[in-house]
Amino acid sequence: MRIVVCDDHLLLLEALGLALGAKGHDVVALAGTPDEAIAAVAMHRPEVCLLDVNFPGGNSVAAIHQIREISPETKVVMLSAEADHAVVGRAIAEGASGYVGKEKPIVEIIEMLDRAVRGQLAVEPALLQRALRPQKTTEDPLWALQFLTDREWQVMRCIMEGQTTEEMAEALGVQRSTARTHVQNLLTKLGVHSRLQAAALMSAHGSHESWPAHLR
Amino acid sequence: MRIVVCDDHLLLLEALGLALGAKGHDVVALAGTPDEAIAAVAMHRPEVCLLDVNFPGGNSVAAIHQIREISPETKVVMLSAEADHAVVGRAIAEGASGYVGKEKPIVEIIEMLDRAVRGQLAVEPALLQRALRPQKTTEDPLWALQFLTDREWQVMRCIMEGQTTEEMAEALGVQRSTARTHVQNLLTKLGVHSRLQAAALMSAHGSHESWPAHLR
DNA sequence: GTTCGCCTAGTTCCTATTGACTATTGCTGC
DNA sequence: GCAGCAATAGTCAATAGGAACTAGGCGAAC
């Protein structure tokens, strides 16, 4: 089995190369970035590419698509430090064939690579199940983020910083009652019942990209 | 050079064991948790212990202390995914001899281990410099995260999800008053005055790695 | 076997937040 | 001009949250 491995941790990369080699597999290239991985796949056309999901910049999911495009016969297996079912879903949707955790022993990783090469989906069943479950994009509170006004974004920022209504009013240069109204409207638009829930919503689902560019 | 390696990623652990072995070093034990590492060090008395910092809740930093105590001749070198100068300082203060990033090649890791065994400090100069600069480790709210109990981490999770005291009590299977007490203790330990500030603290500075592994 | 930390549970007092309203000002587009 | 919307400001009642305590049970450490 010819493999291209991609991870930003050189240590893991090299060690994994040696370990896979010791198990009789052919690691044809080690890549430190998704771009390197794409180039390596284009050159070597391996059976499988083991790709770390956790790249600074988060372009690893996009890399799946590119790899699949330039080398459709290459199966992509994602390697991750944590089991994140949201990422699993996106990865599979982009064309990945598997998703394994770094906490797994090497033999298990290799087994997953085997499964991917045989055309099977190499994902832990429980994880896949959770990845598929929350398919209700309707009634999505994140949709509402679009309709927040600039002022409400500023209020959101204050909320995220843990400010009280008073501090917020001070920061925005308005009366408490005004700040309060903004908070009220914000909560209503987001469909939540407390500023803490609003903050939780943002920190859980609202990536940096959710913020209006001019207010980030 | 006899080495004990500890990391929660079995993959890295095994691969690193093979790689170090291939370079002529003697990996006497592989540990998946700090406790296993401590036991392994007590048994084998290695020259050096390579310890992942990524065991939150202060486990890994506390483990340094314990390892140094039961086997003073064993040098401890921390292994980390990101260069966090705050952690470097704490680790060195606790008795670690080095701190290397996982993005380094194996040869460099081995060189650092060598330096540690020779009694030198195996830390990147630039990182050490930054670690020593901000001497205001006192009053650091993130320091307090180490002293949170398991229950308080569960409460923290509830807070992050925007739950009210009532929901929290329900989720934890305790009375509201108990949930309130936990929240109160949490706020006191973190030095903040509202759960919203606690949530802000976590979402702003508390990376995923801040969470105890068994509660993530 | 006593001390200590953690989890549990409760009280009291006070403040902050929320829901459900009304209402004025100023700007924009039809 | 006027409708619509954002931003401003306010009220009142009900609820939730926070500060500052006390205190028992339980297991681990000394």
Side-chain angles (χ1 to χ4, degrees), chain B residues 149-151 174-175 177-178 180-182 189:
Chain B
T149 66
D150 279 6
R151 207 52 162 164
V174 296
Q175 296 299 312
S177 51
T178 305
R180 302 188 92 197
T181 304
H182 288 313
K189 282 188 184 178

Side-chain angles (χ1 to χ4, degrees), chain B residues 17-88:
Chain B
L18 283 172
L20 287 174
K23 298 279 181 184
H25 296 282
D26 187 7
V27 177
V28 294
L30 299 174
T33 66
D35 286 344
E36 282 177 37
I38 291 165
V41 167
M43 178 180 301
H44 299 288
R45 299 298 182 115
E47 275 82 47
V48 62
C49 176
L50 196 51
L51 183 64
D52 188 19
V53 295
N54 192 15
F55 291 107
N59 283 7
S60 55
V61 175
I64 300 171
H65 198 72
Q66 284 184 263
I67 290 175
R68 296 292 299 162
E69 213 158 63
I70 59 171
S71 177
E73 71 274 20
T74 299
K75 305 293 183 183
V76 178
V77 174
M78 305 305 285
L79 188 61
S80 83
E82 309 99 32
D84 183 341
H85 56 273
V87 176
V88 177

Side-chain angles (χ1 to χ4, degrees), chain A residues 45-56:
Chain A
R45 299 297 182 115
E47 275 82 46
V48 61
C49 176
L50 194 53
L51 184 64
D52 186 22
V53 295
N54 186 24
F55 273 102

Side-chain angles (χ1 to χ4, degrees), chain B residues 38-196:
Chain B
I38 291 165
V41 167
M43 178 180 301
H44 299 288
R45 299 298 182 115
E47 275 82 47
V48 62
C49 176
L50 196 51
L51 183 64
D52 188 19
V53 295
N54 192 15
F55 291 107
N59 283 7
S60 55
V61 175
I64 300 171
H65 198 72
Q66 284 184 263
I67 290 175
R68 296 292 299 162
E69 213 158 63
I70 59 171
S71 177
E73 71 274 20
T74 299
K75 305 293 183 183
V76 178
V77 174
M78 305 305 285
L79 188 61
S80 83
E82 309 99 32
D84 183 341
H85 56 273
V87 176
V88 177
R90 269 190 285 166
I92 302 297
E94 285 295 322
S97 302
Y99 185 100
V100 294
K102 289 181 178 176
E103 80 284 357
K104 301 293 182 192
I106 286 186
V107 289
E108 204 161 311
I109 309 263
I110 293 177
E111 195 187 305
M112 285 302 194
L113 296 181
D114 272 329
R115 288 184 55 178
V117 171
R118 288 202 306 271
Q120 299 174 16
L121 207 53
V123 185
E124 242 180 286
L127 192 55
L128 186 60
Q129 210 166 20
R130 272 208 306 175
L132 295 176
R133 205 183 308 163
Q135 209 53 289
K136 54 170 183 70
T137 43
T138 48
E139 278 320 305
D140 185 356
L142 290 184
W143 176 256
L145 290 180
Q146 290 210 298
F147 304 115
L148 296 189
T149 66
D150 279 6
R151 207 52 162 164
E152 283 158 0
W153 277 108
Q154 292 175 330
V155 169
M156 176 66 92
R157 165 144 299 171
C158 294
I159 288 176
M160 296 289 286
E161 286 171 3
Q163 294 184 1
T164 64
T165 305
E166 201 116 19
E167 293 167 330
M168 190 184 301
E170 166 95 17
L172 299 179
V174 296
Q175 296 299 312
R176 299 150 215 210
S177 51
T178 305
R180 302 188 92 197
T181 304
H182 288 313
V183 171
Q184 186 69 53
N185 292 337
L186 181 63
L187 297 183
T188 303
K189 282 188 184 178
L190 261 53
V192 296
H193 299 290
S194 75
R195 42 181 84 193
L196 189 53

Side-chain angles (χ1 to χ4, degrees), chain A residues 78-91:
Chain A
M78 304 305 284
L79 187 61
S80 83
E82 311 100 33
D84 183 340
H85 55 273
V87 175
V88 177
R90 266 195 297 167

Side-chain angles (χ1 to χ4, degrees), chain A residues 45 63-74 76 94:
Chain A
R45 299 297 182 115
I64 300 170
H65 198 73
Q66 285 185 263
I67 289 174
R68 296 293 297 164
E69 214 156 65
I70 60 171
S71 177
E73 72 273 21
T74 298
V76 177
E94 286 295 323

